[in-house]
Amino acid sequence: ASFTISLRSVDNITVMIRLRPGVLPICPIRVKHARRFELEIKPGDNVTFTFLCSTPEKYFIMEIQKNIDCVSGPCPYGDVHLYPPGLPRLNRTFIWDVKASTKAGLELKFSTPWLRQIEPGETCPDFVSYNINSCIDKATVNIGTFCRNGSVSRVKLLGGVIMSLYLPWDSPLTTSGFNIANRASIKRLCIIESILKGESSITLMSPNYPLGFPEDELMTWQFVIPPNMRASVFFHNYSLSNCERKEERVEYYLPGSFSNPEVFKLSDSQPANIAGSFNLSLQGCDQDAQNPGILRLLFQVVVQHPQVDENVTHLVDLSKEWNMTVTIHFEGWPSRVPLMSEPICLICKDPRTCDRVLTLVSGAIYKISFLCKDLSRLRITAEKGISCVDLRWCQRKIYSLLVPKVITQLPIQLHKFIWKLSAPDLINVEITSPSLKLQQHVPEQRCNTSYSYGIVSATPETELNVGVFCPGGSIEKIQMRNNITISLKTFGKGFLNDSDHQDLKMSFVPHIKDECTFTVSPDPKAKVYLQTPNWPYGLPPYVSISWYVVVPSKQVARLGFSKDRMGIMCETGRAYVNVKEELQGAEEIVRREDELLPKPRNMYHDFWVNVSNCKPVDKTQLTLQFWVALADKQIDLGVILAVVAGAGVLVAIGLAVCCVKKKKKKSQNPMVGVYNANVNTQVPGNKGLFAKGRKNNESHVYAVIDDAMVYGHLLKESNGTVTPEVDVYRPFDGPIGSLPPSPPPFSFRKDIKHSPDNEEPPPLTDTDHDTYTFAHQKSGQTEDNGDTNEKINGDTSTSLLENKEQDGLVE
């Protein structure tokens, strides 16, 4: 198809068709009989041409430039048309170059849906864009690039303007969408008017962004806000130039203010919660000629409905806190930057000072309010520092690591509370959880609580992630070296209820040899899983970690490792796993990295597990996990029966003794006993104890209760006298003294221990005669204690009294 373009001279329009950059010249243009790849049609020309291909839009672009002189003649004010008609369907740019005096102003007024400013390099959804440049003398300033569908309704400029409209080849747009009007001098670079309706958000940039704002220039943005709405300003990106004179600043004309203009630095928090229309101006300075720097600004204006609780203030009293900061922020801060289009939540520390992020510091009292429809989109992150310089001052002090009530009482969810604990090299940190204890978060034993603790031990060179822990476990205590960071992280709203039961405590302790030591009291009802720090990335080289596991006296612990080997190869040094019970002479189990780890085994006493790393070769890391399970000790059935039988015999003997003693007291007659010739009443090798001979003392006279006899049938009362049972007494053939024999009382033994060898014991009274000697048969019996069999040879019976005397002498 052929095209004819006819240009009038008075229109002062030039049409240029040229190849797109980077495209090969394979589609020529035929004009009459000539072929060419570029065509220029000047004012007054009438040209017919044809593209010698079916898709010329792939190869050519077109510029239509109209020059308008408002200096030497009248300006064609009013609507701007897309002229000439009948242009080929190519990507095209309409350019209006308007020259005007700096004593007058030009206004570009856009029809609805108005314009929206975009950043350099950004494209519009429909690929239709406007670009505005201001021309003052010979200088050109890029006011900005805009898309359709926005809030920018007018742009007023000082002097001339170059207005460009870019249309893609398939755009159905037939009108320019703006008109030109004459205005009085605005005495500044430009004024951009923005009309905001309903809840909305716009982003605007300073001229020449991201390059520098012209030196010592002034420009203004006018914002038209509905009276029932509130506006807030946020500076997202800015930089300052090096000023020789004046100071770069922004000025606000705010409704209801008694101090207009209100001046702010670009680094200040900008006004928020503005009720009504307002102006914002950017003022440059005289820059240093050698090092001018760059003044630039990208900011956002957010318009919201007044919040229901905008007049509700929350008291945050940090006056009694020390070295603590509280930051209220949007969800995802600081790693995530919210989109400009997202609904905004503001935190205000006074009616005009609001921002998306507000940081409060200890030592002050704040009254804050929120401009936010959904407070669940806000979070709190707090940080507190605790340090120890001299152990003498801080060793005895116990710090409670609790979230202050002033934070939990706010209507905002706590995201994280961080304690930073610092101390010199020879002072370490001890973490305890006396009542709740801690559970380590491992794949086999995950935390499902409303909060957890992340613990990191750090030095300037290395960082050791000790692990993630939650309340309700078996770890009573963790001792760590270096500076420690403990991060309490919450999950959901359940922390509000659980915060009252926190019991984590911290203290500073003397130096420990290991990098980290855990004290564990396993839960009798559940298996406890423990793993090395820095999981799953492995222990750092040459780091040693220990666990001290407490085993109750009536239980046995089962210890097992989750894999057979350590799984590493050492480049330097050796890696070890040591297991040892806390018992004198207990065997220590030691395994190197090239050996199999211990099989599951029973531990009957408190024990240690130590893991020491070497410098592993590349791509191998030491990660180790083990478990501990408690069970009740199993007592041997034979031992139980023996104990029960022995207890029964002792009870029977005790009852018999009571009966005999009762009879004796009632009769007031001399005691009658049964003589057992097999009982040895002498203590061998201790002749000095009884200085008199057998005839002269009473050691051979005693009462013996034999468990084979029943005393109730032995004693008969007849006229106040005692008659022995027939054939019960065995005659004693040796010499007999004048008094009946009786063993010495236990109190007498103690006196003998401290008496000289030549001192005789005091005489015994009749009241001592109720002491009995128990005979125990041992001939042919074997005692089994579970490990060894012991047999006692020699005498067939032993006097307990003699045993007591021997014990007393040893003492």
Side-chain angles (χ1 to χ4, degrees), residues 674-687 689-690 693-695 697-705 732 741-744 749 771-775 795-806 809:
V674 179
Y675 182 79
N676 187 348
N678 292 325
V679 176
N680 181 12
T681 61
Q682 296 298 320
V683 181
N686 289 285
K687 297 180 180 180
L689 181 60
F690 299 102
R694 179 171 176 81
K695 182 177 180 180
N697 65 29
E698 299 171 345
S699 62
H700 65 290
V701 180
Y702 53 90
V704 177
I705 299 175
F732 179 71
S742 177
R749 291 170 46 239
T771 305
Y772 290 84
T773 300
F774 297 90
D795 293 339
T796 58
S797 61
T798 304
S799 168
L800 288 182
L801 177 61
E802 293 173 0
N803 289 339
K804 291 290 184 178
E805 289 174 352
Q806 292 178 25
L809 292 174

Side-chain angles (χ1 to χ4, degrees), residues 248-527:
E248 295 165 337
R249 64 191 184 273
V250 288
E251 298 177 351
Y252 289 87
Y253 280 84
L254 300 172
S257 175
F258 297 102
S259 58
N260 283 326
E262 294 191 15
V263 179
F264 291 80
K265 295 180 180 179
L266 276 72
S267 57
D268 293 338
S269 292
Q270 303 303 308
N273 199 24
I274 304 171
S277 302
F278 67 98
N279 292 353
L280 165 60
S281 299
L282 174 64
Q283 174 67 64
C285 66
D286 291 335
Q287 298 174 349
D288 184 350
Q290 301 297 325
N291 184 20
I294 293 177
L295 171 62
R296 60 185 172 192
L297 173 63
L298 183 149
F299 67 99
Q300 182 185 20
V301 177
V302 178
V303 178
Q304 298 171 288
H305 284 289
Q307 304 304 309
V308 176
D309 58 347
E310 67 173 332
N311 295 323
V312 177
T313 59
H314 301 269
L315 184 67
V316 183
D317 186 357
L318 302 180
S319 59
K320 297 181 181 179
E321 298 292 341
W322 178 259
N323 200 17
M324 186 173 83
T325 60
V326 178
T327 301
I328 306 173
H329 55 85
F330 55 86
E331 190 174 7
W333 175 88
S335 59
R336 188 185 74 87
V337 177
L339 299 175
M340 299 293 185
S341 58
E342 287 186 26
I344 196 165
C345 279
L346 302 180
I347 309 102
C348 306
K349 61 181 179 180
D350 59 58
R352 285 281 175 82
T353 307
C354 304
D355 208 337
R356 281 181 164 177
V357 179
L358 178 64
T359 299
L360 313 176
V361 297
S362 55
I365 300 176
Y366 301 88
K367 290 182 179 180
I368 65 173
S369 60
F370 301 99
L371 291 178
C372 183
K373 277 189 173 181
D374 186 7
L375 291 180
S376 65
R377 299 174 59 243
L378 293 178
R379 296 291 184 270
I380 297 176
T381 297
E383 182 175 306
K384 184 177 180 64
I386 302 175
S387 61
C388 176
V389 178
D390 191 339
L391 190 61
R392 293 175 298 177
W393 295 102
C394 51
Q395 182 176 8
R396 297 181 180 179
K397 187 172 182 179
I398 298 177
Y399 301 85
S400 294
L401 303 185
L402 307 177
V403 177
K405 290 287 186 183
V406 68
I407 293 178
T408 58
Q409 290 174 353
L410 289 173
I412 309 298
Q413 179 181 334
L414 174 67
H415 170 61
K416 190 179 290 186
F417 197 105
I418 302 170
W419 292 273
K420 291 193 172 181
L421 317 176
S422 58
D425 292 339
L426 298 180
I427 302 177
N428 299 141
V429 172
E430 178 178 285
I431 305 297
T432 61
S433 181
S435 58
L436 296 179
K437 301 182 185 178
L438 296 177
Q439 170 191 318
Q440 188 171 14
H441 179 79
V442 298
E444 293 79 5
Q445 193 172 265
R446 297 182 179 274
C447 292
N448 58 359
T449 54
S450 63
Y451 64 99
S452 67
Y453 298 100
I455 303 178
V456 176
S457 171
T459 64
E461 297 81 18
T462 61
E463 184 175 280
L464 180 68
N465 184 4
V466 178
V468 176
F469 304 86
C470 56
S474 301
I475 300 174
E476 292 183 342
K477 180 170 60 178
I478 307 176
Q479 290 182 322
M480 294 164 286
R481 292 161 57 182
N482 309 321
N483 295 329
I484 308 299
T485 299
I486 301 176
S487 301
L488 182 150
K489 188 176 182 181
T490 64
F491 306 97
K493 299 180 180 179
F495 177 73
L496 291 177
N497 298 325
D498 296 338
S499 61
D500 294 334
H501 308 292
Q502 301 173 80
D503 76 332
L504 197 66
K505 301 183 183 301
M506 186 278 300
S507 58
F508 293 100
V509 296
H511 184 72
I512 61 174
K513 65 174 184 177
D514 293 323
E515 197 74 25
C516 186
T517 300
F518 300 84
T519 300
V520 184
S521 293
D523 185 351
K525 300 179 182 179
K527 184 182 289 188

Side-chain angles (χ1 to χ4, degrees), residues 730-745:
R730 297 180 183 179
F732 179 71
D733 298 333
I736 300 175
S738 57
L739 296 174
S742 177

Side-chain angles (χ1 to χ4, degrees), residues 635-668:
I635 303 177
D636 186 72
L637 183 58
V639 175
I640 295 176
L641 294 176
V643 170
V644 172
V649 170
L650 291 177
V651 170
I653 293 173
L655 291 174
V657 171
C658 291
C659 292
V660 173
K661 291 174 67 176
K662 187 174 181 181
K663 287 280 187 177
K664 167 182 174 286
K665 291 180 179 180
K666 286 184 177 182
S667 62
Q668 296 298 319

Side-chain angles (χ1 to χ4, degrees), residues 625-639:
Q625 185 188 86
F626 63 94
W627 51 265
V628 179
L630 292 182
D632 293 334
K633 286 184 178 179
Q634 299 296 324
I635 303 177
D636 186 72
L637 183 58
V639 175

